[in-house]
Amino acid sequence: MQAYTYLLINFLTVIICFIASFDKRIKFKRFFGIFLLSSTIVAIPFILWDIWFTRMGIWWFDTQYTLGIIIAGLPLEEWLFFYFIPFSCVFTYFCLDKFFNFSWAESLNNIIVFMSFILLVVTGLLYYERTYTLVTILITIATLFYLHFIAKSEWIGQASLTYLILMPGFFAVNGVLTGSVIESPVVNYNPNEFLGIRMFTIPVEDAVYGYSQFLLNIYFFYLLKKSLTKEGNLL
């Protein structure tokens, strides 16, 4: 049963959202193809990042918690992670946007981007020798810069609020993966390559990494939804 641990984490993360996507009030099933395409666009650079870091020994996986199917140095479950987690995140954002009015959060766009830039730049300058920290910072800065100044996205505040709402799920999933409730971590980190600041067992970089991945999944999902259907807004 131990070998199914990571697979079970992925399954439990997505199953409720997947079933709810068929609800007639939500009808998210109409956008399965669009989600698959948008999540693949985002997954490609993040998977390449994952492969690179795994080969460098910045992080690695305890295969006793996986099925043992390795593709390009990553467990099969890690590949699935880049689709199952984004599905739940995009679905949650879609539902909140559909049933609640979070437009007031648009007023937070400038302050979120400004404060994020300051915090990320200062941290990057102080800890530039920590590879996981530095790469995460650069990716997040690039993501926020593109969305705010080039794409002119009005929903960054709304998405950031949604990300906070998703935090309990983040702690549950990443907590298990980093060893909160199991004997040893599924994902292990080289202590010389990150800040060493953990939220319980979760490196703080994971939250920033997840934030940039979340924003990009939202962006490409709604971009393709607008382009390929008669629906879609926010962009």
Side-chain angles (χ1 to χ4, degrees):
M1 189 64 185
Q2 189 179 48
Y4 293 92
T5 301
Y6 197 175
L7 186 64
L8 186 60
I9 293 169
N10 282 330
F11 175 78
L12 292 177
T13 299
V14 78
I15 187 59
I16 294 176
C17 293
F18 178 74
I19 293 173
S21 66
F22 291 90
D23 189 297
K24 293 181 179 179
R25 296 167 296 177
I26 301 173
K27 299 179 181 178
F28 189 77
K29 65 178 182 179
R30 296 172 297 165
F31 307 116
F32 280 177
I34 290 173
F35 167 77
L36 185 62
L37 179 57
S38 63
S39 61
T40 297
I41 292 172
V42 179
I44 289 172
F46 278 89
I47 288 174
L48 291 175
W49 175 359
D50 205 341
I51 293 171
W52 171 38
F53 271 25
T54 301
R55 289 180 177 176
M56 290 180 64
I58 294 173
W59 59 49
W60 60 93
F61 303 89
D62 188 338
T63 55
Q64 69 175 321
Y65 295 112
T66 72
L67 298 176
I69 302 172
I70 306 297
I71 304 171
L74 303 179
L76 171 64
E77 294 85 349
E78 181 73 356
W79 289 78
L80 295 176
F81 179 91
F82 289 100
Y83 290 93
F84 285 17
I85 305 302
F87 183 91
S88 297
C89 291
V90 172
F91 176 81
T92 301
Y93 183 87
F94 179 87
C95 291
L96 290 174
D97 180 59
K98 184 178 182 67
F99 295 113
F100 299 95
N101 182 10
F102 284 158
S103 59
W104 57 267
E106 293 177 8
S107 62
L108 302 175
N109 286 357
N110 289 333
I111 191 168
I112 288 173
V113 172
F114 179 70
M115 294 303 295
S116 296
F117 276 1
I118 292 177
L119 180 60
L120 291 169
V121 169
V122 170
T123 304
L125 290 173
L126 290 175
Y127 299 99
Y128 62 89
E129 77 283 0
R130 312 291 176 94
T131 307
Y132 183 24
T133 305
L134 181 62
V135 174
T136 301
I137 286 172
L138 292 175
I139 294 296
T140 306
I141 287 176
T143 297
L144 287 171
F145 182 87
Y146 174 78
L147 292 178
H148 189 61
F149 294 105
I150 299 177
K152 307 293 184 182
S153 301
E154 299 290 340
W155 45 265
I156 294 175
Q158 186 171 332
S160 300
L161 178 60
T162 303
Y163 192 65
L164 288 177
I165 293 172
L166 288 167
M167 276 292 103
F170 168 84
F171 280 108
V173 172
N174 281 54
V176 175
L177 290 176
T178 55
S180 291
V181 295
I182 56 179
E183 185 176 347
S184 59
V186 178
V187 185
N188 298 269
Y189 300 83
N190 184 334
N192 297 318
E193 302 294 354
F194 73 105
L195 290 176
I197 301 172
R198 291 182 182 257
M199 302 174 292
F200 301 105
T201 56
I202 306 168
V204 69
E205 287 88 345
D206 279 11
V208 182
Y209 172 106
Y211 180 57
S212 59
Q213 186 182 32
F214 172 71
L215 291 177
L216 289 171
N217 271 285
I218 296 298
Y219 172 73
F220 282 105
F221 175 78
Y222 278 95
L223 179 67
L224 293 177
K225 181 172 175 285
K226 184 178 182 179
S227 301
L228 301 178
T229 72
K230 294 181 179 180
E231 304 180 37
N233 43 38
L234 299 182
L235 296 172

